[in-house]
Amino acid sequence: MHHQWLLLAACFWVIFMFMVASKFITLTFKDPDGYSAKQEFLFLTTVPEAGRLREEKHFAEDPKPTGKVAPSSQLVAPLVYVERLELIRNVCRDEALKNLSHTPVSKFVLDRIFVCDKHKILFCQTPKVGNTQWKKVLIVLNGAFPAIGEIPESVVHDHEKNGLPRLSSFSQAEIQKRLKTYFKFFIVRDPFERLISAFKDKFVHNPRFEPWYRHEIAPGIIRKYRKNRTETRGIQFEDFVRYLGDPNHRWLDLQFGDHIIHWVTYVELCAPCEIKYSVIGHHETLEEDAPYILREAGIDHLVSYPAIPPGITAYNRTKVERYFLGISKRDIRRLYARFEGDFKLFGYQKPDFLLN
């Protein structure tokens, strides 16, 4: 009897030890991915932080898609600039728009591109979109003046004194080298609003006293395009629109020479389908675009874009409607046909409120 109890106790002990061992095994191997999951959690919490540190070069925090333009205290997400370049590539591939989007990289184009060799920057000039300020930035970077505030206005556009070489001044090999390796950018604006600005600046106010616009170019446009020959008023915006929309405008452009840079298309000025630009800035978002461009070019610690007066870069539809009031739909449609490439390349909405 005593032996039976000992045997029973031994069996009970074996069973107990087996249960303990099983429990231990179960607890140990219940979640075979437990460690790797913990590692994955650590990976997910640390890698984005590293990525964020790399991206701090562009913006302080991850942008949220609100659909609104960021205030000047925040920088537009780099995605905006990627989308702008992607749009250009897509439009450039559109065979239906080839005549409106492609142009040879001629001397005319190379004359528009200013060079900063010290910081490896190329800037294509597109007049009437705040280019004077960008030229001042490059003048300082090239060392001609120590600060933007010290540059006389008379020097900015004097290319013998401002220290800004044009890309056309280099050999073909040097041109290609710079086009391939330098940071390249230019600024655009709603095409029709830019034309209004050009008309006001050159034919109405003429603040830099460039008399040839009023005394040579304006009479040439009036002689060719004014409907009422007995009217003696100076050039009107309607005359200007009719000239620009004429498919045979080029013979007059040749007479006007480089003065046409203030109203020819961005395509003709900067050849965006032929030259691979690094950034395209928009006048309407210049408060965000200017700091981004300076940072991407690696010069934000050396110079700042001059202060922008509040509201000056905003698109003004009322002004556009006022200037085009009374101009025939035929003339407006012909004007749009010429600048359609600019509208589509840079994402500007077709002005149906003027065309229909």
Side-chain angles (χ1 to χ4, degrees):
M1 187 70 178
H2 178 71
H3 291 292
Q4 289 179 340
W5 279 108
L6 287 177
L7 182 61
L8 185 61
C11 291
F12 177 81
W13 178 254
V14 171
I15 293 171
F16 174 78
M17 291 302 295
F18 179 79
M19 291 175 64
V20 171
S22 299
K23 187 66 174 177
F24 176 79
I25 293 171
T26 301
L27 289 172
T28 304
F29 297 103
K30 184 177 182 180
D31 184 6
D33 296 323
Y35 182 76
S36 61
K38 184 178 180 181
Q39 286 295 87
E40 183 180 0
F41 174 75
L42 292 173
F43 178 79
L44 290 173
T45 55
T46 56
V47 170
E49 177 66 15
R52 188 183 69 81
L53 290 174
R54 287 194 297 272
E55 288 299 319
E56 279 179 355
K57 177 174 180 287
H58 302 299
F59 51 92
E61 61 182 74
D62 292 335
K64 295 177 177 57
T66 61
K68 300 178 181 178
V69 176
S72 58
S73 60
Q74 297 178 346
L75 297 177
V76 177
L79 179 60
V80 171
Y81 306 104
V82 173
E83 289 175 344
R84 289 176 184 175
L85 296 177
E86 183 63 27
L87 176 62
I88 290 174
R89 285 192 289 270
N90 289 337
V91 175
C92 289
R93 288 194 289 261
D94 188 340
E95 288 294 323
L97 291 172
K98 191 167 185 178
N99 290 337
L100 294 169
S101 60
H102 289 262
T103 192
V105 183
S106 61
K107 185 179 183 299
F108 180 80
V109 172
L110 298 175
D111 278 344
R112 310 281 75 78
I113 300 176
F114 295 104
V115 182
C116 176
D117 275 331
K118 185 176 181 180
H119 298 283
K120 297 186 175 181
I121 297 171
L122 299 181
F123 167 62
C124 185
Q125 179 188 24
T126 49
K128 314 322 304 169
V129 294
N131 281 269
T132 297
Q133 306 302 341
W134 284 112
K135 288 171 78 171
K136 289 179 180 178
V137 167
L138 293 183
I139 288 169
V140 170
L141 290 173
N142 276 350
F145 288 86
I148 286 176
E150 297 184 29
I151 306 172
E153 289 298 322
S154 60
V155 170
V156 177
H157 302 289
D158 188 333
H159 299 293
E160 293 182 0
K161 298 179 181 179
N162 64 17
L164 287 181
R166 299 173 188 263
L167 192 55
S168 57
S169 65
F170 296 88
S171 69
Q172 190 59 37
E174 289 296 317
I175 289 171
Q176 292 304 316
K177 175 185 174 183
R178 285 164 175 78
L179 286 174
K180 289 179 181 178
T181 61
Y182 280 21
F183 178 87
K184 301 172 287 295
F185 76 102
F186 67 95
I187 313 297
V188 295
R189 181 184 190 178
D190 176 85
F192 279 8
E193 195 171 38
R194 171 177 168 249
L195 295 179
I196 293 171
S197 179
F199 178 79
K200 287 170 57 181
D201 185 58
K202 299 307 174 186
F203 298 109
V204 180
H205 303 306
N206 203 254
R208 297 192 183 94
F209 189 64
E210 300 165 312
W212 49 86
Y213 286 102
R214 288 182 181 175
H215 303 309
E216 298 175 24
I217 295 177
I221 293 174
I222 290 172
R223 281 193 301 269
K224 173 69 176 175
Y225 296 101
R226 178 157 294 177
K227 288 183 177 180
N228 186 354
R229 300 295 181 182
T230 63
E231 188 179 346
T232 58
R233 289 188 302 167
I235 187 170
Q236 302 297 299
F237 190 64
E238 182 180 9
D239 306 320
F240 189 56
V241 167
R242 198 171 293 118
Y243 149 60
L244 294 177
D246 182 3
N248 301 311
H249 62 85
R250 294 192 183 280
W251 72 270
L252 203 52
D253 287 350
L254 291 174
Q255 296 180 42
F256 297 158
D258 279 3
H259 300 311
I260 65 172
I261 66 171
H262 296 278
W263 52 75
V264 299
T265 65
Y266 300 127
V267 170
E268 294 169 284
L269 290 169
C270 298
C273 286
E274 284 66 39
I275 297 174
K276 188 176 181 180
Y277 286 92
S278 312
V279 177
I280 304 298
H282 281 220
H283 186 259
E284 294 80 3
T285 54
L286 196 56
E287 288 187 19
E288 294 81 32
D289 292 2
Y292 177 78
I293 290 169
L294 294 176
R295 263 202 334 281
E296 287 298 292
I299 55 174
D300 55 315
H301 62 294
L302 299 173
V303 66
S304 297
Y305 188 84
I308 303 170
I312 198 171
T313 61
Y315 174 71
N316 189 336
R317 172 169 166 163
T318 301
K319 179 180 68 177
V320 174
E321 289 178 323
R322 185 174 71 250
Y323 266 83
F324 281 92
L325 185 65
I327 298 178
S328 72
K329 298 297 183 185
R330 170 184 173 274
D331 289 338
I332 299 176
R333 289 178 185 135
R334 290 178 70 171
L335 181 69
Y336 177 75
R338 179 179 174 188
F339 287 86
E340 183 180 4
D342 281 358
F343 275 95
K344 294 196 171 179
L345 278 164
F346 305 106
Y348 286 102
Q349 191 170 11
K350 183 178 180 181
D352 288 322
F353 63 95
L354 297 176
L355 297 168
N356 299 326

